[in-house]
Every structure is written in C-alpha cells, then in structure tokens.
Amino acid sequence: MKIGKLYMIWLWGLLLLMAACGDDDYYYPSVKMEFVTIEAGDDGRIRTLIPDKGDILPVSQDLTGSTISPNTFRRVMSNYEMMEEGAKIYSLQSLLTPTPKPKDDPAFKDKEGKDPVEVVSIWLGRDYLNMILNLKVSTGKGHTFGIIEDKSELETTGSVDMLLYHDADSDEEYYNRRAYISVPLKQYAESEHPTDGIKIKFRYYTYGKEADVIEDYEFEYTPGKTE
C-alpha cells in the first residue's frame, strides 16, 4: 500500500530486511535486540544505527548486507553488538510505523477497526511510541493497523489521544501471533503547545471486553528524550 495508508501485514512474520548469515545455533555474544532507527548513506547501505537510549552509533559491520533508499532512515528491530569501532548488525526486521491520522481520514472510512489485541509491552523511546502486540489469528493474513489521533487539545493542554485501529479482516481467533509497531511522535513537537512535555493517551480494544475500550496507558513525551 502507499505510504500514509493503513498498514496491512501477514502475521506469519513481518518482512525481514534481510536475515543474518550463518547457522541458527550461532551464538551472538553481548548482542542487544531492540527497536532502533537505521540510516543509509549515498549508496543505500546502512551507515548509522540510532538506539532509543544512548549514543548514535556508526555501523562498523552489517552482516545482513541490507540496503534501503539512499540517505533515508527506517525503523526496525535489530540484533546488534556494540563494538569499539561501532555497531555490528546481525539481523534487521521491519516494524509497522503508522503515522497517526484523524478519525475522518479516508483510510478509516470503510471499517470500524475495533478488532482486539493484547498489549505485551509498550514504551516510549526517542520520538516513538513502541509496542509489542499479541493477536489471535487463524491464517494471519490481511490484518490492518493504523492510529486514530485526536489532537484537539494539543495547543491548549499539550495532550494527544490515540486509538489503535485494527481490522482483522474476519480472521478467526485460534493461534497467537506478534505484531511490532512503532508510532512516530516527532510531528507533535512542531506544534505550539504550552507545556515542555506532551501527554500521549493510548487506547485500544482488547479481548474479553466486547466493545469496551481500555485506557490505561499514558505517557509524558519529551521530544528527543532518549531515556
């Protein structure tokens, strides 16, 4: 789908940029597995790795040999090791990065998007709201995600409401699968709001609650904060 539309995935596994070489039993010493941002140079090869916490790292070695569009960045989940000369990348896996949109956006007009999820983990990290979701699926095909935003109070109180849009496309609930989502927040920092931080309220539909919306996640977002 075009950039800016909702994200549709097959939940048998999100697309890998490229799997690392070697045997499955290979031991990765001191390797971190985190959501990070990667940046490419003029040739499209990964030159920089930006963790959500800590310093920006030059990439000393990328065992995946991945390339993206030149001079662009991408949000990924990475297995990497911090070496003296920089980051050594073992694997890269794409994340869903839906840009929040208002409720009346054409992307949300066809379906309600109220299919449930279970939040396994959710946290803020360097201008992103990150989450790992558990879904109950049969085929795992055709699930669509988006973020419905209400920023009517952003200019007055510095508050943004977010609702997770999830359309399972009538997929039956049999097996557990994970979805990895990283929502960009930096666009809110460009607004004129009266507070130093921006309050992010995140809501979602969950299993066993019928049409009830769970609203028990609130975050204080400070643009550029790494811890």
Side-chain angles (χ1 to χ4, degrees):
M1 303 183 72
K2 294 182 180 179
I3 295 175
K5 300 291 186 180
L6 296 180
Y7 283 71
M8 181 175 292
I9 61 174
W10 286 21
L11 294 171
W12 296 120
L14 297 177
L15 294 178
L16 290 179
L17 295 182
M18 198 169 196
C21 300
D23 296 332
D24 292 339
D25 294 333
Y26 183 78
Y27 174 64
Y28 300 147
S30 305
V31 169
K32 297 183 178 182
M33 184 174 183
E34 298 176 339
F35 286 19
V36 301
T37 302
I38 52 173
E39 293 183 336
D42 294 338
D43 58 358
R45 294 185 179 276
I46 310 306
R47 302 301 185 190
T48 307
L49 185 147
I50 307 174
D52 282 356
K53 296 182 179 180
D55 297 330
I56 297 174
L57 303 171
V59 174
S60 60
Q61 190 176 6
D62 178 11
L63 297 183
T64 73
S66 301
T67 59
I68 58 177
S69 297
N71 301 310
T72 62
F73 67 91
R74 184 172 297 184
R75 193 71 174 157
V76 299
M77 182 164 59
S78 177
N79 277 50
Y80 70 97
E81 182 180 3
M82 294 179 62
M83 313 288 286
E84 289 186 5
E85 61 274 22
K88 182 178 181 179
I89 297 175
Y90 292 100
S91 69
L92 297 170
Q93 180 175 332
S94 296
L95 303 177
L96 301 180
T97 57
T99 299
K101 297 178 178 298
K103 186 177 181 180
D104 60 357
D105 190 276
F108 301 123
K109 68 178 182 179
D110 294 332
K111 297 184 179 180
E112 291 186 331
K114 294 183 177 181
D115 289 320
V117 301
E118 177 186 9
V119 173
V120 177
S121 182
I122 184 168
W123 70 97
L124 282 180
R126 201 190 292 259
D127 298 320
Y128 289 91
L129 176 61
N130 306 298
M131 63 193 78
I132 299 174
L133 305 179
N134 191 58
L135 315 175
K136 297 183 184 300
V137 307
S138 176
T139 66
K141 299 178 181 179
H143 288 247
T144 306
F145 290 91
I147 298 291
I148 300 174
E149 72 174 2
D150 178 359
K151 56 179 182 179
S152 59
E153 298 183 4
L154 178 59
E155 306 301 334
T156 56
T157 65
S159 178
V160 177
D161 286 352
M162 292 184 179
L163 174 65
L164 180 70
Y165 177 100
H166 173 215
D167 173 32
D169 195 26
S170 300
D171 194 20
E172 298 292 335
E173 299 177 359
Y174 291 114
Y175 311 106
N176 291 326
R177 289 291 183 273
R178 293 285 173 88
Y180 303 93
I181 297 178
S182 195
V183 183
L185 303 177
K186 195 172 184 179
Q187 67 274 14
Y188 300 126
E190 300 173 355
S191 301
E192 294 294 333
H193 55 87
T195 58
D196 293 332
I198 299 170
K199 181 178 290 184
I200 304 294
K201 300 178 181 179
F202 176 76
R203 299 179 294 151
Y204 64 101
Y205 295 92
T206 192
Y207 298 99
K209 300 295 183 180
E210 297 180 354
D212 293 338
V213 178
I214 305 302
E215 187 178 359
D216 56 355
Y217 289 107
E218 292 190 4
F219 301 90
E220 194 74 20
Y221 163 56
T222 302
K225 187 175 182 180
T226 60
E227 295 182 355

